[in-house]
Amino acid sequence: MKTTHLSRALFGAVLAGLVFLSGAASAYTLSFSPSTQDVGLGRVATVDVRIAGIFPGTPNQDDGLGAYDFDVVYDPAIIRFKKATDGFSLGTSIGLGVDDNGQSGRLTVSDFSLEPVPDLLVWQTLLVRQDGTMRLFSIEFDTLLPGTTLLEFKTVTLGNVWGDPRTPTLSTGSITVLPAAVPEPGTLALLAGAGLITLGGRRFRRVRTG
């Protein structure tokens, strides 16, 4: 599945070139929410990708987030990418680009804002939660086998609303797939007993009314 709307090479080159124009760095943080979760085999696991620190709190210093390009890495033997849902954090933009790289366990995502800077800053101010994070997008995974897979960010490129590069702190996450639930022997006996009682009651009623 590939829906990449922006050339990753061009995007990276533009932001890499800006490194020499600006030495500024901000404490951006990329994270998964929830950071850990348990899900039963055969169920769908959903995780948000969030960013924090896009507003440094310094008066008259605009920052925000204008672009992102990175990989989400996971174990393809345990979970399989299903779909990604855009959080529209960049306002009017190129659009969320998603490439599952042939279900290799590496999901490449990118987007680039086309929103005017003042409007984008106002928009993101509204989207940032009280905990200081903003949702970029959500990912759904199908579960394949019991086990635990780590979720990691790789090859990360971020830019603020002016296109200046930002070096983030990266958090990891995990998804644990639990075996399909099997009823305990006592539970099976109770279910069987309930079935026999139901059948017996129906038979008794037929005899009395026959």
Side-chain angles (χ1 to χ4, degrees), residues 27-67:
Y28 286 32
T29 300
L30 281 176
S31 63
F32 298 99
S33 179
S35 58
T36 62
Q37 63 176 296
D38 296 340
V39 59
L41 182 62
R43 305 293 295 273
V44 174
T46 302
V47 62
D48 289 344
V49 172
R50 309 192 71 88
I51 190 167
I54 61 172
F55 294 116
T58 303
N60 302 319
Q61 181 177 351
D62 295 332
D63 217 9
L65 179 70

Side-chain angles (χ1 to χ4, degrees), residues 71-74 99-101 103-108 154-155:
D71 292 342
V72 174
V73 179
Y74 56 93
D99 186 355
D100 63 15
N101 295 289
Q103 295 288 4
S104 64
R106 181 177 290 264
L107 186 68
T108 301
K154 297 289 186 181
T155 59

Side-chain angles (χ1 to χ4, degrees), residues 41-204:
L41 182 62
R43 305 293 295 273
V44 174
T46 302
V47 62
D48 289 344
V49 172
R50 309 192 71 88
I51 190 167
I54 61 172
F55 294 116
T58 303
N60 302 319
Q61 181 177 351
D62 295 332
D63 217 9
L65 179 70
Y68 59 81
D69 184 291
F70 54 83
D71 292 342
V72 174
V73 179
Y74 56 93
D75 187 344
I78 295 177
I79 58 176
R80 177 178 59 210
F81 171 68
K82 182 177 183 180
K83 70 175 183 178
T85 303
D86 197 352
F88 301 106
S89 57
L90 301 188
T92 302
S93 67
I94 296 294
L96 178 64
V98 182
D99 186 355
D100 63 15
N101 295 289
Q103 295 288 4
S104 64
R106 181 177 290 264
L107 186 68
T108 301
V109 292
S110 61
D111 200 0
F112 191 97
S113 181
L114 303 175
E115 194 81 33
V117 169
D119 295 341
L120 181 57
L121 289 171
V122 171
W123 175 243
Q124 292 183 349
T125 300
L126 297 174
L127 293 181
V128 172
R129 300 193 312 189
Q130 289 186 347
D131 63 3
T133 68
M134 179 178 70
R135 184 173 72 96
L136 299 183
F137 52 88
S138 300
I139 313 174
E140 292 184 15
F141 294 99
D142 290 321
T143 53
L144 304 177
L145 289 173
T148 299
T149 175
L150 193 65
L151 301 176
E152 297 181 281
F153 296 108
K154 297 289 186 181
T155 59
V156 178
T157 303
L158 300 178
N160 71 357
V161 294
W162 300 105
D164 299 323
R166 291 293 180 257
T167 301
T169 298
L170 305 177
S171 299
T172 59
S174 67
I175 295 174
T176 297
V177 179
L178 304 175
V182 177
E184 296 291 334
T187 302
L188 290 174
L190 288 174
L191 291 174
L196 290 175
I197 291 172
T198 300
L199 290 174
R202 290 177 180 173
R203 184 177 179 182
F204 177 73

